[in-house]
Amino acid sequence: MDFVALIVAAGAGVRAGGAKQWRDLAGRPVARWSLEALLAAGARHVVVVIRPGDEAPAAAAFAGLGAWTSVTGGLERADSVRAGLAALAPLAAEAMLIHDAARPLLSARMIATLLEGLADHDGAIPILPIVDTLKRRNEDGVLTTAERAGLMRAQTPQAFRFAALADAWAIWPADEIPTDDAQVLERAGGTIVTVPGDPRLIKLTYPEDFAMAEALAAAPRPTRVGQGFDVHAFGPGDHVWLCGVRIGHERALIGHSDADAGLHALTDAMLGAIGEGDIGDHFPPSDPQWKDAPSSLFVEHARDLIAQRGGRLVNVDVTLICEAPKIKPHRASMRDRVAELLRIGLGQVSIKATTTETLGFAGRREGLAAQAVVAVDMPE
């Protein structure tokens, strides 16, 4: 189903210590978790509603991710939702999801289940049963026990047919504040189906909630491994490009782009880890626009595809196979450049070199080869 999404990230987060949507959770900003999950699930576009002045932290939090824009929200959540709906309306999507940035542990399964619920309904929301005893304290401090039969906890994201929700918001009284978007659709007479919620989708409200979220985020996720291999022949020239570093040499590597075998192998390994074909599928040598193109473009493209799927690079390992040029004097610069391109730590990058003991084309100095292996931590 064609869908867009809205992430509400305009809250002040006072009870959590402020600006919880931009705080770090297991190595990523809280709001980034949700954006990655929605893009990986196939959202055509995501609008993130932010507070005035939060443009810089939003850009930093979502660096490397595509298909998103931000709009400024209002004092109330309802104002933010209205702003997001207005921004998404021109896309004319069939369905939309509305999600709170403060619920970072969103799974692909939950998104798919909600969209399936829209087959015969105007809306679909995840719910959880209330298992604790409910107490109510009156103004005199007296506690009484509340009846919990029939009560449920609603979570986000909530899914809606876009037109149905937009029409419902259009008639919602301006002086009333709904507790969630499902309430708006309910009052307008829309049909809503409930689906089982996810206990992992906790809302980060208080400082202690982050400890629980960190523990949940640390739970194992599938790790995918990709490998790549590339070869280029030597030809006339005075330098080569290897792993993003220009190295003076008596000959050049021949190729349609800059012939950086190290980055080509790395790109193929990254694409392979997420089942996205090979470098030729994305940058065909028959296309003149890639003539002499820097191979850094290819690596950045593969990096962004991984991020859009909700994946994280665990580590990369590149081996250069050649008699010359000598790699060791340039290895530190190569590691720095690859870490910069992939936006990962230096300790996650390995660059090695070996020879073929004068055997084969590499041993005869007719060309060189490179192989790469990457590990990518992916959502379930």
Side-chain angles (χ1 to χ4, degrees):
M1 177 179 288
D2 172 53
F3 76 99
V4 293
L6 172 62
I7 297 177
V8 182
V14 175
R15 289 175 293 180
K20 59 189 173 184
Q21 61 269 47
W22 313 129
R23 284 179 57 180
D24 185 80
L25 173 66
R28 289 182 286 168
V30 167
R32 185 182 180 98
W33 285 76
S34 297
L35 181 55
E36 287 182 349
L38 289 163
L39 292 175
R44 176 150 56 95
H45 192 84
V46 180
V47 165
V48 184
V49 186
I50 61 175
R51 292 186 301 168
D54 271 3
E55 291 79 8
F62 304 140
L65 300 180
W68 72 276
T69 51
S70 66
V71 297
T72 302
L75 293 177
E76 301 290 346
R77 186 182 187 277
D79 301 321
S80 296
V81 171
R82 283 192 171 100
L85 285 171
L88 287 168
L91 299 180
E94 180 182 3
M96 74 172 301
L97 270 68
I98 301 181
H99 188 48
D100 296 329
R103 297 182 189 268
L105 302 181
L106 174 60
S107 70
R109 183 180 297 111
M110 174 58 70
I111 295 171
T113 300
L114 288 167
L115 292 173
E116 289 170 4
L118 294 182
D120 301 308
H121 298 84
D122 297 317
I125 65 172
I127 62 163
L128 289 173
I130 294 176
V131 295
D132 298 313
T133 296
L134 297 179
K135 297 289 184 178
R136 178 179 289 112
R137 188 190 304 273
N138 66 18
E139 58 186 16
D140 297 322
V142 177
L143 284 177
T144 57
T145 301
E147 177 59 52
R148 70 186 185 192
L151 295 180
M152 299 170 285
R153 291 191 291 140
Q155 298 179 302
T156 71
Q158 297 182 347
F160 305 96
R161 291 195 171 274
F162 193 96
L165 183 64
D167 291 344
W169 266 108
I171 61 174
W172 181 268
D175 59 346
E176 291 189 37
I177 300 175
T179 57
D180 68 358
D181 300 283
Q183 183 183 0
V184 177
L185 186 60
E186 290 166 13
R187 183 176 296 186
T191 59
I192 298 175
V193 65
T194 60
V195 304
D198 183 353
R200 288 169 47 93
L201 265 175
I202 61 171
K203 187 175 183 180
L204 302 178
T205 304
Y206 301 102
E208 55 267 28
D209 294 335
F210 277 81
M212 175 64 76
E214 288 279 354
L216 292 171
R221 304 199 312 170
T223 298
R224 297 185 183 180
V225 176
Q227 61 178 352
F229 183 80
D230 194 47
V231 174
H232 283 284
F234 283 121
D238 61 3
H239 71 275
V240 298
W241 283 95
L242 288 173
C243 291
V245 175
R246 188 183 191 276
I247 301 172
H249 190 53
E250 60 189 17
R251 306 180 77 189
L253 291 171
I254 306 303
H256 186 65
S257 62
D258 62 7
D260 189 329
L263 293 189
H264 291 180
L266 178 58
T267 301
D268 265 351
M270 295 165 67
L271 293 172
I274 59 173
E276 276 288 344
D278 59 36
I279 193 171
D281 295 327
H282 297 259
F283 305 97
S286 58
D287 190 335
Q289 70 173 309
W290 308 121
K291 175 66 174 173
D292 299 323
S295 297
S296 58
L297 296 177
F298 310 156
V299 171
E300 290 170 334
H301 174 73
R303 175 203 68 198
D304 292 347
L305 285 178
I306 290 173
Q308 289 168 16
R309 298 283 187 86
R312 298 194 302 270
L313 280 162
V314 178
N315 71 297
V316 303
D317 185 12
V318 180
T319 301
L320 301 171
I321 306 166
C322 58
E323 297 290 334
K326 294 299 182 183
I327 302 302
K328 188 173 182 179
H330 309 283
R331 187 164 59 188
S333 297
M334 292 178 181
R335 291 183 68 206
D336 286 338
R337 180 56 175 155
V338 170
E340 177 187 22
L341 288 173
L342 298 181
R343 297 174 179 157
I344 59 178
L346 191 62
Q348 296 169 268
V349 178
S350 170
I351 307 289
K352 308 192 303 293
T354 189
T355 70
T356 59
E357 302 292 340
T358 73
L359 299 176
F361 74 91
R364 294 190 297 269
R365 304 191 180 209
E366 296 171 359
L368 59 75
Q371 61 183 23
V373 177
V374 306
V376 179
D377 178 28
M378 292 294 291
E380 58 184 285

